[in-house]
Amino acid sequence: MRCKTRTVKIGSCLIGGDNPVVVQSMCSTDTRDVDATIAQIKELEAAGCQIARVAIVDSEAAQAIGKIKAGTTIPLVADIHFDYKLALQSLSAGADALRINPGNIGDRKRVQAVVSACREKNIPIRIGVNSGSLDKQMLQRYGAVCAEAMVESAMENIKILEDMDFREIKISLKASSVKLTLEAYRLMASRVDYPLHIGITEAGTKDRALIKSALGLGMLLNEGIGDTIRVSLTGNPVDEVWAAYEILRNLGLSERGVELISCPTCGRCEIDLIPLAEAVDQAVRHMEQPLKVAVMGCVVNGPGEAREADVGIAGGRGFGLLFRSGEIIKKVPAADMFSELLQEINKLTNNK
Ligand code: SF4
């Protein structure tokens, strides 16, 4: 069962409560390069990204937010370290949320200025604790990076905001270790009802990051923990969005996109299945409609093994059998398997 959390609003996006888990990503562009950032956010939007975050490194980046927002439609989060002036500038420029740790801003007056500006515009703040940048005091208190230290650090930041009667808060506790991430979020979920932004940080290059994220985020989501997710990987952020939906869909938390069922091949396989499966994968990746597509190596077992697929192809010697919901509907020459299958997919997705 999903953990009960409060709801915060980032632009038009509701996070927490009974709202569906929100998919977000972070731009890898220099925020000051407005055109490049808009272009990347548009790509992210097209992939289904619901919130984009940008790094605010200086005033120019903060001011770019206005122009970026004018060229895009999804809510924008300003990611700031330490400098409260950049937070204020980002808010003036139209940021829909801030990621900043109040404990890093400095004296109370500065925090108050940021909180007042957020309150005025109904803008939430994400407190983001990262295991790699845990503050020295906390490290000394606990002797090493651990879940308790991460949660304690978040709690201190939460208290600063709560003392100012500000509760439009979202929390993240990221680590590159899956086990540490799990422990930290589980502990946090038992302590507060603020919505949780979950992710494995610095998860590595694409394949490695996908495994870590699927494991870490999958386990948390399956326990009902997590209101918004970001898969982080060293690579194109569009892949982060695709991976996020794969994780959500496989847990029954989203219906977006095509599920590809393909067999591992074995001695019964009579077609060159791997390139066919890969070509089908590329062709269906961008599709939003929910559909199960199967690419199977043999006609004997293929259609039956992929009975739950909406549509699929099973390879024979020199031909393929096109099937729907386990029933064979057509025999096609091997050279046409890809195009025939795609035609069938398009028919089904256009009707959805
Ligand atoms: Fe082997 Fe056929 Fe199963 Fe593929 S579908 S693994 S080729 S038995």
Side-chain angles (χ1 to χ4, degrees):
M1 217 175 71
R2 180 113 171 248
C3 290
K4 278 252 165 286
T5 52
R6 304 161 64 99
T7 303
V8 298
K9 196 163 180 275
I10 298 187
S12 54
C13 218
L14 292 171
I15 297 178
D18 292 327
N19 296 293
V21 177
V22 169
V23 171
Q24 56 176 293
S25 183
M26 184 165 185
C27 289
S28 56
T29 51
D30 183 333
T31 310
R32 295 165 294 195
D33 186 343
V34 172
D35 291 343
T37 304
I38 289 177
Q40 190 169 65
I41 293 176
K42 283 187 169 166
E43 273 184 62
L44 292 170
E45 277 186 60
C49 182
Q50 295 166 287
I51 294 176
R53 183 157 48 108
V54 290
I56 305 301
V57 292
D58 60 15
S59 291
E60 197 186 334
Q63 266 135 30
I65 286 176
K67 291 180 206 144
I68 295 166
K69 275 189 65 84
T72 53
T73 56
I74 54 174
L76 208 58
V77 180
D79 189 292
I80 295 147
H81 292 292
F82 309 112
D83 191 341
Y84 85 109
K85 283 190 202 140
L86 294 181
L88 295 176
Q89 286 165 9
S90 300
L91 291 170
S92 303
D96 296 294
L98 294 183
R99 187 249 162 146
I100 189 165
N101 290 347
N104 294 339
I105 296 177
D107 65 32
R108 197 183 152 81
K109 261 193 190 158
R110 293 177 173 188
V111 181
Q112 187 72 64
V114 174
V115 166
S116 300
C118 284
R119 204 194 310 274
E120 201 178 295
K121 297 184 168 208
N122 203 16
I123 300 282
I125 295 177
R126 164 151 76 97
I127 293 169
V129 174
N130 273 23
S131 63
S133 53
L134 203 60
D135 63 71
K136 280 193 192 114
Q137 263 185 326
M138 207 54 75
L139 275 176
Q140 271 169 0
R141 200 180 304 168
Y142 285 89
V145 176
C146 59
E148 289 76 12
M150 290 172 71
V151 169
E152 197 57 36
S153 174
M155 293 305 287
E156 283 185 357
N157 281 283
I158 292 168
K159 189 167 180 327
I160 296 171
L161 297 181
E162 284 181 340
D163 285 349
M164 295 178 181
D165 201 24
F166 187 85
R167 287 181 172 76
E168 297 306 303
I169 300 171
K170 195 161 63 100
I171 317 283
S172 67
L173 300 159
K174 297 189 187 177
S176 58
S177 148
V178 172
K179 284 184 103 173
L180 180 57
T181 305
L182 294 175
E183 283 168 24
Y185 277 106
R186 283 172 182 150
L187 187 58
M188 196 79 226
S190 71
R191 301 271 299 269
V192 297
D193 64 355
Y194 291 115
L196 298 177
H197 163 127
I198 61 171
I200 309 289
T201 194
E202 290 126 25
T205 47
K206 194 166 151 191
D207 291 350
R208 295 169 192 274
L210 294 182
I211 292 170
K212 270 194 175 182
S213 299
L215 261 177
L217 304 191
M219 286 176 84
L220 287 171
L221 290 166
N222 201 42
E223 292 168 26
I225 298 173
D227 301 287
T228 175
I229 65 172
R230 186 217 171 172
V231 171
S232 86
L233 53 81
T234 308
N236 187 341
V238 172
D239 292 330
E240 299 183 351
V241 177
W242 173 81
Y245 281 105
E246 282 293 303
I247 294 170
L248 292 176
R249 184 159 31 71
N250 280 296
L251 288 168
L253 297 173
S254 169
E255 288 196 333
R256 185 191 166 99
V258 173
E259 178 174 345
L260 182 62
I261 297 159
S262 60
C263 81
T265 78
C266 70
R268 292 180 197 89
C269 186
E270 296 189 298
I271 55 165
D272 198 4
L273 186 90
I274 297 169
L276 176 65
E278 274 168 5
V280 173
D281 188 357
Q282 286 310 314
V284 300
R285 239 164 217 254
H286 65 283
M287 293 180 180
E288 296 173 27
Q289 294 90 338
L291 196 73
K292 282 189 186 176
V293 175
V295 180
M296 307 297 280
C298 72
V299 291
V300 184
N301 295 339
E305 282 180 7
R307 202 174 295 280
E308 75 273 31
D310 296 304
V311 61
I313 196 112
R317 189 170 296 169
F319 67 90
L321 295 180
L322 202 58
F323 61 89
R324 262 209 214 172
S325 312
E327 301 297 325
I328 294 159
I329 55 167
K330 200 174 178 186
K331 184 175 177 179
V332 300
D336 299 342
M337 287 192 301
F338 175 75
S339 58
E340 290 276 354
L341 178 61
L342 209 62
Q343 228 176 339
E344 208 58 31
I345 292 169
N346 286 332
K347 264 192 236 163
L348 288 172
T349 50
N350 287 340
N351 291 336
K352 285 214 171 192

